[in-house]
């Protein structure tokens, strides 16, 4: 039997049906008209848009209307520091960086240490603070503009955030959070309050500018429920509703579902060594036939082959080359061993570069941190 699909900010399970999510969440599919409109401003389209890895949105047309009137938007995204950064996290961050470059946008980057403390039974405040620092290095390593990027953690930037969060909280009832997130009577009360903290950065720039500034939030689609609530509340506080652009989940190595830190062999962390990367990639699921002969004769299925999916999501921005890789897999022209070795080499190279930038980031942290 197929596992039931569950997508909430704290749990992603089952086979993901993105069309069904569009319907259930009430979001819009990104269509060609919208892509063309974006392209007018960006000249080229990021591969994540061309491939519909970013597949849905709320109010992107409004964001572009405002932009065309000269009303620039700012970007907001975030990270819950519950562990080390893995490759899946890089998807929305890399895309956010592209948006920052193309639109010259400011970026507020929220680190929700409070959230992970409240939702992960085993994590202490000290744990989440350590992960926060560690994750920030990965964020900075991606090359965000230090003059336009503001990173802050909820517990440390609390003097600013808390005042605003209670303004949000006053408009959110218990029954709303229960309906949206599925809280139970034994959920701790910090969890029930938390969504108001995640709403605040969507109007931080408006607060600082002393006027309404449109906000665009790139995120993985599981985070959308927070912004259903925020979009409801913000007009009541005198702000625009934020626009949202949603990505699919990066696949794990052993299944083609969401990569998760709770399954370490399924996951490549940005700090993994070349040996660790190789071992993990060599164990990946390809779905190839039982024998070489059968594979050569019958071919495979790129849609379920983790190696193909890795190229598609992160390691091959050239569409033609991705197509070639998929063709080879389909026609049985590449066997699992070689397929994996090629990818492992790419990942090692990519992460070696990343490690260098990550080390340099240590001296840059203070340039990015927002304090009050
Ligand atoms: N809650 C998110 C997480 O668990 C972190 C986050 C905070 C976020 N604000 C955001 C993600 C805005 C996307 C957009 O990772």
């Amino acid at each position: 039997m197929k596992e039931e699909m569950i997508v909430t900010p704290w749990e992603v399970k089952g086979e993901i049906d993105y069309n069904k999510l569009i319907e259930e969440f009430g979001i819009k599919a990104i269509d060609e008209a919208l892509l063309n409109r974006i392209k007018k401003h960006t000249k080229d389209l990021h591969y994540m848009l061309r491939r519909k890895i970013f597949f849905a949105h709320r109010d992107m047309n409004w964001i572009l209307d405002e932009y065309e009137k000269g009303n620039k938007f700012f970007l907001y995204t975030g990270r819950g520091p519950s562990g080390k950064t893995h490759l899946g996290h890089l998807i929305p961050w890399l895309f956010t960086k592209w948006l920052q470059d193309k639109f010259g946008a400011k970026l507020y980057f929220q680190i929700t240490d409070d959230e992970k403390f409240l939702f992960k039974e085993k994590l202490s405040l000290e744990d989440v603070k350590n992960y926060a620092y560690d994750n920030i290095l990965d964020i900075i390593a991606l090359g965000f503009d230090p003059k336009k990027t503001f990173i802050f953690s909820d517990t440390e930037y609390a003097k600013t955030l808390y005042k605003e969060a209670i303004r949000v909280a006053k408009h959110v009832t218990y029954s709303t959070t229960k309906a949206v997130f599925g809280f139970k009577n034994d959920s701790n009360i910090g969890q029930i309050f938390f969504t108001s903290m995640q709403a605040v950065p969507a109007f931080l720039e408006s607060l600082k500018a002393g006027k309404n500034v449109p906000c665009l939030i790139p995120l993985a689609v599981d985070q959308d429920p927070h912004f259903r609530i925020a979009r409801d509340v913000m007009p009541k506080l005198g702000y625009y509703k934020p626009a949202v652009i949603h990505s699919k989940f990066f696949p794990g190595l052993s299944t083609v579902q969401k990569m998760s830190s709770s399954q370490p062999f399924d996951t490549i962390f940005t700090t993994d060594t070349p040996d660790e990367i190789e071992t993990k990639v060599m164990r990946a699921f390809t779905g190839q036939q039982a024998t070489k002969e059968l594979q050569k004769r019958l071919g495979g299925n790129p849609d379920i082959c983790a190696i193909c999916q890795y190229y598609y999501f992160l390691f091959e921005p050239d569409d033609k080359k991705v197509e070639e890789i998929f063709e080879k897999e389909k026609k049985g022209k590449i066997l699992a061993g070689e397929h994996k070795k090629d990818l492992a080499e790419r990942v090692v190279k990519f992460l070696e570069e990343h490690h260098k930038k990550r080390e340099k980031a240590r001296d840059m942290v203070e340039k990015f941190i927002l304090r009050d």
Side-chain angles (χ1 to χ4, degrees):
M1 212 180 79
K2 259 210 269 183
E3 214 184 342
E4 187 201 356
M5 171 174 88
I6 297 177
V7 178
T8 78
W10 301 291
E11 188 180 23
V12 176
K13 245 178 47 185
E15 196 179 317
I16 309 297
D17 177 341
Y18 289 103
N19 290 325
K20 198 166 148 203
L21 270 184
I22 287 177
E23 225 169 87
E24 277 181 11
F25 281 15
I27 55 187
K28 294 237 154 53
I30 292 180
D31 59 14
E32 295 311 305
L34 178 56
L35 289 182
N36 284 331
R37 206 173 163 197
I38 295 171
K39 200 173 168 186
K40 260 198 346 223
H41 299 288
T42 58
K43 306 294 180 255
D44 53 10
L45 278 180
H46 196 279
Y47 78 86
M48 292 182 201
L49 284 171
R50 295 197 308 266
R51 295 178 194 169
K52 305 275 170 75
I53 292 171
F54 273 83
F55 72 107
H57 73 105
R58 295 180 186 271
D59 279 344
M60 271 307 285
N61 279 305
W62 167 76
I63 277 282
L64 293 169
D65 288 343
E66 291 300 313
Y67 186 77
E68 286 165 12
K69 283 189 249 166
N71 200 8
K72 282 181 96 171
F73 58 87
F74 72 100
L75 295 159
Y76 158 38
T77 194
R79 159 73 181 148
S82 56
K84 293 190 284 184
T85 304
H86 63 57
L87 293 179
H89 299 128
L90 303 186
I91 297 287
W93 303 353
L94 286 167
F95 183 65
T96 301
K97 148 97 171 110
W98 181 80
L99 289 172
Q100 175 172 70
D101 291 346
K102 292 290 176 177
F103 290 95
K106 287 188 189 173
L107 164 64
Y108 287 89
F109 208 121
Q110 180 178 40
I111 308 292
T112 54
D113 49 358
D114 55 344
E115 174 190 16
K116 296 303 159 178
F117 173 68
L118 290 164
F119 282 86
K120 298 269 175 179
E121 208 171 315
K122 292 204 185 101
L123 291 184
S124 68
L125 257 183
E126 203 196 345
D127 293 334
V128 294
K129 281 185 174 296
N130 290 337
Y131 285 133
Y133 176 75
D134 199 71
N135 296 166
I136 287 171
L137 298 180
D138 289 298
I139 294 162
I140 293 174
L142 299 183
F144 290 103
D145 180 348
K147 292 203 186 70
K148 288 189 169 157
T149 305
F150 311 99
I151 306 176
F152 53 95
S153 89
D154 285 354
T155 62
E156 284 176 22
Y157 198 49
K159 191 172 162 200
T160 299
L161 296 178
Y162 184 69
K163 264 205 307 270
E164 304 307 322
I166 58 176
R167 290 189 220 275
V168 175
K170 205 167 179 174
H171 293 281
V172 185
T173 64
Y174 176 51
S175 66
T176 296
T177 57
K178 210 163 68 169
V180 172
F181 300 113
F183 292 137
K184 301 273 164 35
N185 277 343
D186 66 354
S187 302
N188 74 56
I189 59 176
Q191 296 182 349
I192 292 152
F193 173 76
F194 170 71
T195 194
S196 23
M197 291 295 284
Q198 191 155 322
V200 174
F203 56 88
L204 251 189
E205 178 60 15
S206 299
L207 209 67
K208 290 184 188 291
K211 63 169 189 182
N212 250 332
V213 186
C215 172
L216 171 60
I217 309 172
L219 45 65
V221 64
D222 59 310
Q223 294 294 316
D224 182 75
H226 285 295
F227 299 105
R228 289 204 289 265
I229 295 181
R231 283 167 52 87
D232 231 40
V233 172
M234 279 170 53
K236 295 179 185 163
L237 301 177
Y239 300 113
Y240 296 133
K241 292 181 180 189
V244 185
I245 187 161
H246 308 82
S247 78
K248 296 179 180 168
F249 304 120
F250 189 72
L253 279 168
S254 62
T255 61
V256 179
Q257 289 177 10
K258 182 175 179 260
M259 185 177 268
S260 157
S261 317
S262 47
Q263 295 181 316
F265 293 115
D266 204 30
T267 307
I268 295 174
F269 296 102
T270 59
T271 48
D272 280 354
T273 63
D275 276 353
E276 286 168 323
I277 295 166
E278 243 160 69
T279 309
K280 289 179 186 180
V281 173
M282 292 318 279
R283 282 195 212 170
F285 177 77
T286 61
Q288 290 200 354
Q289 310 291 341
T291 66
K292 285 182 191 173
E293 288 65 35
L294 277 176
Q295 178 63 17
K296 283 184 186 159
R297 189 142 55 87
L298 302 173
N301 177 0
D303 294 341
I304 61 163
C305 167
I307 306 299
C308 287
Q309 292 302 312
Y310 269 55
Y311 283 115
Y312 185 83
F313 272 84
L314 196 54
F315 291 101
E316 186 47 79
D318 183 329
D319 291 346
K320 271 226 185 75
K321 290 191 179 151
V322 165
E323 211 175 294
E324 280 167 25
I325 292 167
F326 277 37
E327 270 312 293
K328 271 199 203 166
E329 174 62 27
K330 248 190 241 165
K331 296 200 169 130
K333 292 200 168 134
I334 185 155
L335 296 176
E338 189 189 348
H339 210 11
K340 290 174 180 176
K341 252 181 83 192
D342 290 350
L343 178 73
E345 253 170 52
R346 282 285 179 104
V347 180
V348 168
K349 222 166 114 195
F350 174 87
L351 286 182
E352 272 174 356
E353 278 307 303
H354 184 78
H355 291 168
K356 284 185 211 149
K357 295 182 199 151
R358 203 175 182 281
E359 283 313 303
K360 288 205 188 113
R362 290 183 196 276
D363 297 326
M364 289 156 68
V365 174
E366 277 312 306
K367 284 201 187 108
F368 285 89
I369 301 285
L370 200 53
R371 298 194 188 280
D372 53 18

